[in-house]
């Protein structure tokens, strides 16, 4: 079995803008994404420590993951999400290194 | 504190076959796994862009994670899941490098 | 765009102690965290294979993720969670290497 290196791009933000983030992901050429409901607390909410219990049970955020075998595409998605939404909405975005089986599956131009 | 390298194996697929995937994981000797409900869109569904809103809210997929300290075991699980299910069901599988505290915890033969 | 290395700390444990884990995370100086509902099976539960179906559907666990740009802080959180809770509650904790856009966002002293 041959494993190939790829990047996993993660965006965690408010569910309210999840469709906008997915629009960016597809516009940049990614072929798929995974969405998980999430709660939590961001650096902007640090003062509200007394409300932590409700934060944990309030899954009003989403964690969106995209596997790409093109780091430039991953960076373009990150940059657009940050520039277009993270001034107005809380969120974080990061990359992780992964190993996949079939790299062609993750790049639209190779479908 | 000593950290040890390990592998995190991830399988994202339809909830419908999650038990089959967990059977493979256990048959290969892993001692535990974590399951998260997920929505999203795979490369096979890219044409249905008009239905994206429902895709995001439809958590009919699962993300299954397994920590193993044996890359051969991780690869065996990936290979079996792909060969036995991914011709018929949409899904992706990938590995990530992680650092854990207690490696023995993740390998059945060492329990 | 400049990416910076950081650590993603993950704790998977019972929902029952999620507030305690978040207390430790904040006490150690992290500025935010993400919480996802999870099911699964740990190494302590391996014998109960006949109950796997219910395990998959029972999201009584949580997966808590924290991005930090300070590995010593990540290790302190891991060590406290393990020492204070993992004798009495099932759980795992691991680190992943990630790349982020804005490192200052993840360290309280730099807010």
């Amino acid at each position: 079995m041959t494993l190939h290196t790829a990047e996993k791009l993660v965006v965690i933000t408010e569910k309210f803008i999840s469709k906008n983030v997915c629009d960016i992901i597809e516009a940049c050429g990614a072929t798929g994404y995974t969405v998980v409901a999430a709660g939590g607390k961001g650096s902007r909410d640090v003062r509200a420590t007394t409300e932590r219990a409700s934060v944990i049970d309030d899954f009003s955020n989403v964690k969106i993951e995209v596997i790409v075998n093109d780091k430039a595409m991953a960076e373009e998605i990150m940059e657009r999400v940050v520039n277009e939404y993270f001034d107005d909405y809380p969120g974080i975005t990061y990359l992780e290194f992964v190993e996949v089986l079939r790299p062609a599956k993750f790049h639209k131009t190779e479908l």
Side-chain angles (χ1 to χ4, degrees), chain A:
Chain A
M1 188 173 62
T2 309
L3 292 171
H4 304 264
T5 62
E7 301 279 337
K8 182 171 83 170
L9 164 68
V10 179
V11 177
I12 301 171
T13 191
E14 290 191 2
K15 186 180 177 185
F16 183 73
I17 58 163
S18 56
K19 281 200 285 182
N20 307 270
V21 173
C22 293
D23 277 339
I24 290 173
I25 290 167
E26 293 190 39
C28 291
T31 59
Y33 49 81
T34 299
V35 180
V36 170
K41 175 186 287 189
S43 58
R44 299 186 190 184
D45 308 314
V46 165
R47 282 138 282 160
T49 48
T50 54
E51 296 170 34
R52 189 168 51 239
S54 63
V55 168
I56 291 172
D57 285 314
D58 168 20
F59 291 93
S60 62
N61 294 329
V62 286
K63 181 181 176 188
I64 302 171
E65 300 184 351
V66 191
I67 306 284
V68 296
N69 59 353
D70 175 348
K71 192 167 182 179
M73 187 205 287
E75 294 188 4
E76 185 190 351
I77 295 169
M78 291 174 93
E79 200 156 29
R80 284 193 56 185
V81 168
V82 169
N83 290 341
E84 297 176 26
Y85 292 102
F86 284 6
D87 283 340
D88 298 319
Y89 298 91
I92 61 171
T93 179
Y94 57 86
L95 286 182
E96 293 184 56
F97 173 86
V98 300
E99 292 179 285
V100 298
L101 284 177
R102 296 175 291 183
K105 192 176 168 71
F106 306 111
H107 200 305
K108 203 175 216 167
T109 60
E110 299 180 33
L111 280 179

